[in-house]
Amino acid sequence: MTEVIKRLKAIVGDRFVSAEPEERYLYSMDQGTMPPAEPDMVVMPGSTEEVSEIMRLANEYQVPVVPMGGGLVLSGLTRALKGGMILDMKRMNRITEVNPKSRYAVVEGGTSQGMLQAYLKKHHPELKHSMPDAPPIATLAGNVCIHGSGHLSVLGGFHSDMLTGMEVVLPTGEIVRTGSCSVSADWFGKAPLPDLSGLFMGWSGTTGIVTRLGIKLFPNYRHNDLLIFVTEDPRDMPDVIARLTSTQVAEDMTPWMTPKPEWARGFMHINIAYGAHSKEELTFKRNLLQISVKDYIDNKSGGFLPMPPPQKGRFMQLPSPDLARFADVRKGGGFEYVGAIMAIEHFPEAYQAGVRIAEKHDVSYSMGARIVGAGHAMMFFYAYAFNRADPEDMARAQHALEETNSAALDMGGIPWKAELPAQQKIIEKMAPETFALMNRIRHTLDPNHIMNPGNWERA
Amino acid sequence: MEAIQFDPEICNQCETVDCLMKCQYIDFRDVAEAKTEKLKINAGEHSRVLDECLTCYACQEYCPYDNNPFYLLVERQEQLGLLPAPRPIVAEQLKMMGPRGRIQKETVSTPVVNMCAFPMLTGCVRGTLFDGASVIVGTDIFCNIMWLHFAKNSAIKERVPQMIDNIMTYYLKDAGVEEMICFHDECYGTYTSVAPAYGIEVPFKPVHLFDYINHRLDELADRITPLNVKIAYQRPCSNRLIPQTDLVLDEIFEKIGADRVPRKYDRENTLCCGGVPRAQQRDNLADELVANNIRDMQAVGASYCVFNCPFCMATLGQEAAENGLMPILVSDLVQMALGE
Amino acid sequence: MKHEEILHRCFRCGYCKLPSNYTDINCPAYQAFRFETYSPGGRMWLLRAWLNNEISNSRRFSEIMFSCATCGNCVEQCAFPNFKDLLLEAFAAGKEAFLDAGQVPAPVRDYLTKVQLHGNPYGKPGKKRPEWAADLDIPVYSDQDHLFFVDDVGAFDTRGQEIARSVAKMLQQAGISFGIGSGEEVSDGNDVHEMGETPLFEELAGKNIEAFNQKGVQKIITLSPHSLHAIKNYYPALGGNYQTAHYTQILAFSLGSLKFQSNGNNQRITFHDPCYLGRRNWDYQSPRMLLKALPDVHVLEMDRNQKNAFCCGGGGGNFFTDLLSAEADSPGRVRVREAAQTGAEILAVACPLCAGMLEDAVKVESLEGRLQVREITEIMAEYL
């Protein structure tokens, strides 16, 4: 390892390689419940070429490489399960292009969501990108690679759907491009080429390292508003969601159900965010949304929360620090969630399963969902808070998470950015031919099996 | 629980039916039609009024006989299960505004100012105007008058006595304080109008904020620098229950040099701020009310839009500010005149 | 360790790394080193691991702790209102524990030793403290309204002395009645406090309080925002109660006594908020009022200003210990690049430490031709 460290220092500079106990300790875990796994070293590359050199070196010494963005995945995907090096990408945070006419941005692999948001606000106030609910230091590349979603997902689908192209360093060190940028100077999209981007999304860092990516931008409206629909019956939710999405007006729709504060227990809420260029257009859009669920309003079984304008600001903050604050529910700095991607008609059973599991394991929970596309799917999340200083409490959350993963799979959903145990469960359910194909592709790309080993493997 | 104080005889003999004929939101062909609808309400039958009512409280003020037409109307809405707002909205609000049981005894001294369920506004009680004031606040002393908007006077009957008990037990009794200043019209309306109408006993003396301020301004006369500003006042619905206090407000405005510019939608012709219709899922009407209010305030050349109700201010404030009217609470305006 | 009960409550969500507008990394140590360990959350988790015997108190660990510039960005941005105010106190407690264990970086040890021996980190005798004012007609404090307290940098650093003189002259110009110490006073102790060296801080503060009280001082004007912080916020607990203000605050109140005239320069100026005046003591306006009072001056704001200002890297003792020097990523260099981007010709400062840090950075960045670092009263003097 001494030799590897020496050569890594020659590639990225002394300051950006560490094999010290402090970095090895902190990079061995994330905020979730997965047990620590210590890397031998942490490296912070500054350029694609450096990443490429690092990969060649890693192959030479057969050292595992775990790419990491914001390190906020919560499900332990950036742990060095087989040792080796963690590649912290956050030094590569330049925004290299914004195309206002074709509405895309090209950013380096370590660029944070917050930084792109700030950049657009300053230089292109007419544009925005879809912010996930993760804290602003989360990276675009990390989020796209896990099929994340965000506040424009009703409009534009998963963040992986918003990807327009990638520059990737393969496990063997070659630098490749996917999408239009492999043929043209423009990063407008993945069509009409074979979609090689799929080789890198959803693989939990086992197929390559994204060093640059293009992402779709959307109009940033001057006027923005939020409605919150409320009902007491989870069985109404799929229909309500279908009606609301049918208007093609919302940018974001996020149902939420929480037992705390106590007043919210038992109520289903759906936050519906939308925007417009003028106040008249905004009112028109609001009316479309309200008319879509008129039947529920007329029979008094559901309706929109009355909210004066000053109260809405809190719900419209992007991202909202309230989500991180869930970690302090048990005064313990931790939470993890199962985000199950599933069909929307499963909403009622998904909700009931969540209540059942949380009560069984006595965990503090919060549930919700993000609607993706015009009602095409949803990411239904079950978040469990735990006290990091209380191993029993952490274990409770872990058991609840495991059981939730099984429940989600049973109802036809698929755990998102799955932890190691959940990956196993998915593999068990996966068509064997599909898993075999995954392995063949992986072996072709990574013959020495050094990319985030331990993930997507049969136990 | 006692029935609402209402005399059907008086109502039956009424020839003008002001309660309905003056309504700004429901139209009647003639007095006869209004009378017919009113009699249906009195008899406990369904009337379209029960569906269409905006719950603006105005009929309480319009009735020349103080015969509680609005309280009766709400009673009937609840009896017939005619919720003005969707069930989950009402149910969630009921839980949200319910007593938390977190109240603790506090040593208070006069003046005791009740800020009701608005902890975010306790900062208003400051300076010379409120010298030495004790502030009490929280959902455990919430006046609960808002349920008149939601056909839930059962909640009023159930919760108001509990709140009164809390106020006495946790604050006033031990301190030997007999008066309580109601910062909001809602509270004063609850204790001086709703409570007697519902037969609820109030063991303390409620003092309206305006009476308190008016009196203080006499004591602080030498500190007043007249503001010399034109203001538009947004009279809240709950002031309909206690119209005598609106005259006190006139005295206050005069003392601080604020010219309450006569506008179309003030006094008895006050137009709803637009907040409650949103709960009733009538957003287009709410938009109209907001726009009409703002247009009216602009038309008279007001530079301040003055509120006493925090909910009115939350509903209209931003729109007012965007249209060049400075939104401000009465107490803050008075403090400006006191140089604070 | 004090506040150890909050360590595990940090989620490491990373809001602390950024300003509220997310433009760029806003934690000086994290900006310089970029490893998670150097972020506020990293420190929280490492301290907890150390208390749990999962890691030991190494040299690197102590550098991680002492490289914190105590700028307060983490406190400002932390998502957790229930314990955010305790973050810097927890770090100070961590540093104190490191000091107790004898595990501190050499420059920190040297700094503290010099302050211990001499009452200042320059190793100069106390009687030389007032020398910065030798050529000025300023009385030693007797019965004037204010004591003008000049920190170690103002007293002993060549550039700091220039700034002290400029500020003193401006105070005179504004008709402020003040005198200076005669050398009994010692370091304000602020940075010693932030380094967790509590006994030494108490000793220094005790000496100053004794000196102030003997002279009957009631009102203090400080040159350095660091002195302001210590005297205003830490001295009262040790029996030192004074009306304390930073010189920009006194001057902002005395603007009426200063008559400015246009000098035809039409200068474009950007202002760098000192952490200890701004985020740590919530005054963002006094220095801006001074600049905006100057005729034909254009005050330009950097993306990160006021509560979002990016620290020069000199706080928490780093002005002396230099643990944050990190080539192109050092906070000072990042900050002067940001200042230059505004198109300003002058980077105005209101703290002798900021002046030193940023002037060095301008040189290293070869920005001398484009950007000049000036202390606020130096700029004001050109308009009188």
Side-chain angles (χ1 to χ4, degrees):
Chain A
M1 282 300 169
T2 321
E3 183 61 19
V4 174
I5 290 163
K6 202 172 127 198
R7 295 208 18 211
L8 281 171
K9 285 184 174 174
I11 296 170
V12 300
D14 289 358
R15 290 173 46 224
F16 299 116
V17 180
S18 171
E20 303 288 339
E22 292 75 22
E23 279 73 32
R24 291 176 61 192
Y25 171 82
L26 198 62
Y27 283 81
S28 70
M29 62 187 97
D30 67 13
Q31 297 86 341
T33 60
M34 288 291 105
E38 209 166 85
D40 297 304
M41 66 207 88
V42 182
V43 187
M44 302 197 79
S47 69
T48 304
E49 290 68 31
E50 286 180 10
V51 175
S52 169
E53 279 186 63
I54 291 168
M55 288 316 304
R56 289 179 207 280
L57 178 71
N59 275 288
E60 192 182 325
Y61 287 87
Q62 310 244 332
V63 179
V65 176
V66 180
M68 176 185 134
L72 288 156
V73 77
L74 308 188
S75 51
L77 297 181
T78 57
R79 292 170 303 147
L81 300 173
K82 307 276 164 84
M85 70 180 87
I86 287 185
L87 225 55
D88 183 338
M89 296 293 289
K90 285 194 290 295
R91 273 182 71 218
M92 292 182 61
N93 64 359
R94 283 160 289 238
I95 294 161
T96 58
E97 186 190 349
V98 170
N99 182 325
K101 286 288 171 283
S102 289
R103 293 199 178 117
Y104 65 77
V106 183
V107 303
E108 285 189 329
T111 307
S112 69
Q113 303 281 354
M115 201 173 156
L116 180 62
Q117 187 190 48
Y119 184 88
L120 291 173
K121 202 170 172 186
K122 183 173 180 187
H123 300 285
H124 300 276
E126 75 287 1
L127 294 170
K128 64 184 171 192
H129 82 290
S130 180
M131 289 286 282
D133 288 329
I137 196 77
T139 62
L140 284 127
N143 187 269
V144 164
C145 285
I146 56 171
H147 288 295
S149 54
H151 85 284
L152 296 176
S153 278
V154 169
L155 202 62
F158 288 104
H159 289 162
S160 41
D161 297 328
M162 298 180 193
L163 179 85
T164 64
M166 278 177 170
E167 175 191 81
V168 184
V169 175
L170 296 181
T172 40
E174 297 91 335
I175 301 167
V176 299
R177 286 183 169 198
T178 71
S180 59
C181 66
S182 65
V183 178
S184 151
D186 301 327
W187 289 64
F188 52 80
K190 291 177 290 213
L193 306 169
D195 187 7
L196 295 176
S197 310
L199 291 174
F200 310 102
M201 293 188 297
W203 291 79
S204 309
T206 58
T207 51
I209 297 161
V210 178
T211 47
R212 222 152 35 125
L213 73 159
I215 187 90
K216 287 179 188 170
L217 303 177
F218 294 83
N220 186 27
Y221 293 117
R222 243 187 95 191
H223 302 276
N224 295 283
D225 200 4
L226 177 104
L227 292 175
I228 301 182
F229 186 86
V230 192
T231 172
E232 285 175 285
D233 192 344
R235 290 168 305 181
D236 288 343
M237 290 295 272
D239 183 55
V240 170
I241 291 164
R243 286 162 179 255
L244 289 167
T245 49
S246 75
T247 60
Q248 296 268 278
V249 157
E251 293 184 328
D252 190 18
M253 279 178 55
T254 48
W256 55 276
M257 294 75 66
T258 174
K260 272 189 179 165
E262 174 59 34
W263 55 259
R265 185 190 286 269
F267 293 97
M268 320 280 123
H269 308 82
I270 312 176
N271 287 15
I272 308 142
Y274 60 105
H277 292 295
S278 67
K279 281 202 165 181
E280 293 72 24
E281 186 190 342
L282 197 70
T283 304
F284 175 73
K285 287 183 168 176
R286 181 199 67 202
N287 290 347
L288 289 179
L289 288 163
Q290 291 184 334
I291 290 163
S292 73
V293 289
K294 191 168 176 301
D295 291 346
Y296 290 90
I297 291 168
D298 286 348
N299 70 28
K300 309 273 183 195
S301 62
F304 295 92
L305 267 187
M307 253 198 312
Q311 284 178 14
K312 293 186 180 180
R314 197 179 140 203
F315 292 99
M316 294 166 78
Q317 202 180 347
L318 295 172
S320 166
D322 283 350
L323 291 156
R325 281 181 199 131
F326 185 61
D328 206 35
V329 163
R330 281 171 109 99
K331 292 194 169 50
F335 79 84
E336 191 181 332
Y337 62 96
V338 169
I341 316 284
M342 60 171 80
I344 291 173
E345 61 270 26
H346 295 303
F347 198 105
E349 54 180 314
Y351 170 72
Q352 273 138 11
V355 174
R356 192 187 67 238
I357 293 166
E359 280 172 4
K360 177 178 162 192
H361 294 278
D362 187 26
V363 288
S364 298
Y365 72 96
S366 176
M367 275 188 276
R370 166 157 272 128
I371 307 305
V372 179
H376 293 112
M378 65 178 171
M379 183 277 288
F380 193 103
F381 69 82
Y382 307 80
Y384 303 122
F386 57 83
N387 183 347
R388 192 173 298 289
D390 177 356
E392 278 178 28
D393 198 41
M394 237 168 132
R396 262 200 299 273
Q398 205 168 16
H399 293 319
L401 288 161
E402 275 185 31
E403 197 170 328
T404 309
N405 278 320
S406 299
L409 279 160
D410 287 346
M411 65 185 91
I414 305 168
W416 168 50
K417 55 177 178 178
E419 312 89 338
L420 224 48
Q423 287 176 22
Q424 297 300 323
K425 287 180 179 153
I426 297 172
I427 292 169
E428 274 168 38
K429 280 224 156 193
M430 191 181 270
E433 298 78 7
T434 307
F435 188 58
L437 177 62
M438 275 178 72
N439 280 325
R440 255 157 54 210
I441 292 169
R442 194 167 163 187
H443 185 71
T444 307
L445 290 172
D446 181 16
N448 288 317
H449 200 60
I450 56 171
M451 285 303 298
N452 206 1
N455 283 282
W456 288 121
E457 290 169 15
R458 215 184 276 282
Chain B
M1 188 58 63
E2 292 182 36
I4 284 164
Q5 285 187 11
F6 167 75
D7 187 341
E9 279 311 304
I10 293 175
C11 204
N12 289 342
Q13 285 163 26
C14 176
E15 289 179 1
T16 54
V17 199
D18 284 353
C19 59
L20 295 183
M21 288 307 288
K22 285 189 177 180
C23 178
Q24 289 159 288
Y25 312 104
I26 308 175
D27 290 328
F28 300 93
R29 277 192 310 277
D30 47 31
V31 179
E33 192 204 357
K35 182 100 185 176
T36 310
E37 295 303 324
K38 181 66 185 144
L39 291 176
K40 284 191 215 165
I41 297 170
N42 294 356
E45 293 165 14
H46 180 263
S47 156
R48 72 178 173 97
V49 175
L50 300 177
D51 298 324
E52 293 171 38
C53 174
L54 192 76
T55 68
C56 75
Y57 301 13
C59 47
Q60 273 296 116
E61 186 178 19
Y62 298 149
C63 174
Y65 312 105
D66 291 333
N67 202 19
N68 295 328
F70 180 60
Y71 299 152
L72 180 77
L73 185 148
V74 179
E75 188 82 7
R76 294 291 185 256
Q77 282 180 322
E78 186 166 20
Q79 282 164 0
L80 296 170
L82 301 170
L83 284 184
R87 278 191 307 278
I89 301 289
V90 181
E92 190 168 38
Q93 298 272 335
L94 272 168
K95 281 177 78 181
M96 197 186 293
M97 302 308 292
R100 305 270 157 88
R102 291 201 197 128
I103 192 164
Q104 285 184 336
K105 275 198 179 186
E106 263 173 51
T107 313
V108 296
S109 56
T110 46
V112 174
V113 184
N114 183 343
M115 294 303 284
C116 200
F118 292 96
M120 68 296 267
L121 291 181
T122 49
C124 292
V125 183
R126 63 178 190 276
T128 337
L129 187 63
F130 292 105
D131 233 358
S134 299
V135 175
I136 59 175
V137 67
T139 49
D140 288 296
I141 57 165
F142 177 44
C143 69
N144 279 286
I145 202 172
M146 75 179 270
W147 308 118
L148 289 174
H149 292 301
F150 294 97
K152 277 287 170 196
N153 37 1
S154 55
I156 293 175
K157 289 178 204 168
E158 181 195 320
R159 290 182 183 180
V160 172
Q162 200 184 334
M163 300 295 121
I164 290 172
D165 192 48
N166 282 347
I167 290 169
M168 290 307 292
T169 310
Y170 290 92
Y171 303 120
L172 302 189
K173 202 153 82 189
D174 287 356
V177 174
E178 288 169 0
E179 282 188 0
M180 184 188 73
I181 295 152
C182 301
F183 198 92
H184 308 297
D185 289 278
E186 286 90 335
C187 301
Y188 191 74
T190 302
Y191 301 121
T192 62
S193 171
V194 173
Y198 286 69
I200 298 167
E201 197 193 332
V202 180
F204 49 80
K205 184 186 171 204
V207 176
H208 194 282
L209 175 73
F210 296 162
D211 285 314
Y212 172 79
I213 289 182
N214 198 29
H215 176 68
R216 278 298 280 158
L217 285 178
D218 290 338
E219 293 172 347
L220 300 168
D222 56 335
R223 294 198 186 206
I224 300 172
T225 312
L227 295 168
N228 296 323
V229 289
K230 287 186 175 185
I231 61 122
Y233 182 59
Q234 181 67 29
R235 192 176 168 224
C237 49
S238 40
N239 197 264
R240 302 282 199 172
L241 313 179
I242 45 172
Q244 70 280 9
T245 60
D246 194 49
L247 304 175
V248 181
L249 183 61
D250 284 334
E251 291 179 35
I252 292 174
F253 283 146
E254 198 181 326
K255 284 177 189 169
I256 62 168
D259 179 11
R260 179 176 178 176
V261 192
R263 67 180 187 109
K264 188 175 167 192
Y265 299 125
D266 196 359
R267 314 283 177 187
E268 210 185 83
N269 200 34
T270 289
L271 198 65
C272 166
C273 68
V276 166
R278 296 205 193 274
Q280 300 172 350
Q281 315 293 297
R282 297 157 81 177
D283 276 279
N284 285 321
L285 173 62
D287 292 348
E288 216 176 283
L289 295 169
V290 169
N292 285 341
N293 268 313
I294 300 289
R295 252 200 307 273
D296 183 42
M297 292 180 197
Q298 282 181 313
V300 296
S303 51
Y304 286 84
C305 172
V306 182
F307 299 95
N308 198 48
C309 167
F311 191 63
C312 291
M313 180 142 150
T315 304
L316 278 178
Q318 192 174 311
E319 192 76 16
E322 283 172 15
N323 285 285
L325 292 146
M326 168 82 95
I328 191 167
L329 287 172
V330 168
S331 63
D332 284 343
L333 190 77
V334 170
Q335 279 165 330
M336 261 174 66
L338 292 171
E340 289 178 344
Chain C
M1 196 193 104
K2 215 174 152 195
H3 303 305
E4 65 176 83
E5 74 288 350
I6 68 162
L7 299 177
H8 74 279
R9 290 173 71 180
C10 166
F11 184 52
R12 286 212 297 127
C13 56
Y15 277 91
C16 53
K17 295 171 178 170
L18 302 168
S20 68
N21 58 13
Y22 312 146
T23 45
D24 210 340
I25 294 166
N26 219 37
C27 166
Y30 182 62
Q31 165 62 48
F33 296 101
R34 306 303 282 271
F35 286 111
E36 291 290 316
T37 40
Y38 283 84
S39 71
R43 286 192 199 100
M44 296 286 277
W45 283 39
L46 287 178
L47 280 175
R48 177 166 177 254
W50 179 46
L51 294 176
N52 288 347
N53 292 317
E54 291 174 83
I55 53 170
S56 53
N57 59 350
S58 67
R59 178 190 56 80
R60 184 177 179 86
F61 193 177
S62 72
E63 282 174 10
I64 289 171
M65 292 308 300
F66 284 93
S67 62
C68 166
T70 64
C71 73
N73 183 68
C74 51
V75 175
E76 182 70 41
Q77 310 298 346
C78 174
F80 296 93
N82 294 335
F83 59 85
K84 65 189 283 185
D85 291 337
L86 299 174
L87 293 179
L88 287 174
E89 290 180 35
F91 297 152
K95 287 183 251 188
E96 186 162 11
F98 272 67
L99 285 160
D100 290 346
Q103 183 61 271
V104 288
V108 172
R109 188 195 57 223
D110 295 348
Y111 170 82
L112 293 172
T113 308
K114 277 195 179 152
V115 175
Q116 173 111 54
L117 290 175
H118 307 283
N120 67 73
Y122 292 87
K124 299 270 177 71
K127 63 174 190 289
K128 284 186 176 287
R129 263 195 115 82
E131 278 187 2
W132 63 272
D135 55 343
L136 298 178
D137 183 21
I138 307 176
V140 166
Y141 180 87
S142 54
D143 58 352
Q144 294 81 4
D145 290 348
H146 303 269
L147 169 78
F148 180 38
F149 181 85
V150 172
D151 66 311
D152 299 332
V153 182
F156 299 114
D157 176 271
T158 316
R159 177 69 182 115
Q161 290 175 335
E162 278 176 22
I163 291 173
R165 280 195 287 273
S166 174
V167 170
K169 282 189 224 168
M170 192 58 64
L171 290 169
Q172 287 177 323
Q173 190 80 35
I176 308 293
S177 151
F178 69 97
I180 57 172
S182 47
E184 307 88 347
E185 70 276 24
V186 291
S187 169
D188 54 54
N190 185 66
D191 296 353
V192 170
H193 179 277
E194 309 297 74
M195 285 174 164
E197 183 41 300
T198 312
L200 178 55
F201 167 72
E202 286 174 358
E203 190 186 318
L204 295 166
K207 281 185 184 163
N208 282 332
I209 291 167
E210 196 187 331
F212 298 161
N213 290 354
Q214 262 181 12
K215 291 173 191 262
V217 171
Q218 290 185 322
K219 295 181 183 176
I220 298 176
I221 302 172
T222 72
L223 175 69
S224 169
H226 296 241
S227 314
L228 169 81
H229 187 70
I231 299 173
K232 190 174 149 188
N233 302 312
Y234 302 147
Y235 281 24
L238 301 170
N241 289 291
Y242 315 100
Q243 228 177 299
T244 313
H246 186 242
Y247 73 87
T248 54
Q249 298 172 319
I250 297 291
L251 290 172
F253 269 99
S254 311
L255 269 175
S257 323
L258 296 163
K259 296 281 168 278
F260 300 112
Q261 290 170 350
S262 176
N263 61 14
N265 285 348
N266 293 313
Q267 282 170 316
R268 296 187 305 277
I269 302 178
T270 189
F271 175 66
H272 166 81
D273 291 271
C275 303
Y276 277 93
L277 179 63
R279 254 187 319 255
R280 303 293 302 270
N281 285 287
W282 310 297
D283 186 357
Y284 306 105
Q285 291 316 315
S286 297
R288 284 180 174 77
M289 279 170 70
L290 299 179
L291 288 172
K292 286 178 180 168
L294 304 177
D296 304 327
V297 153
H298 306 282
V299 179
L300 305 167
E301 290 290 358
M302 290 180 265
D303 284 344
R304 292 179 284 180
N305 61 69
Q306 304 193 44
K307 67 175 189 177
N308 285 332
F310 184 50
C311 170
C312 68
N318 279 281
F319 179 86
F320 300 99
T321 59
D322 207 21
L323 296 177
L324 277 168
S325 71
E327 300 172 27
D329 289 322
S330 74
R333 290 180 62 179
V334 171
R335 189 58 166 166
V336 297
R337 291 201 295 268
E338 185 179 3
Q341 270 178 9
T342 63
E345 309 142 274
I346 294 179
L347 172 54
V349 295
C351 165
L353 282 73
C354 296
M357 297 299 290
L358 298 174
E359 279 170 12
D360 286 351
V362 163
K363 284 181 206 139
V364 187
E365 287 284 314
S366 304
L367 284 168
E368 291 110 314
R370 279 173 60 195
L371 189 72
Q372 244 190 319
V373 178
R374 311 283 307 276
E375 183 281 320
I376 277 191
T377 61
E378 294 175 332
I379 304 168
M380 290 164 74
E382 292 178 357
Y383 289 83
L384 285 170

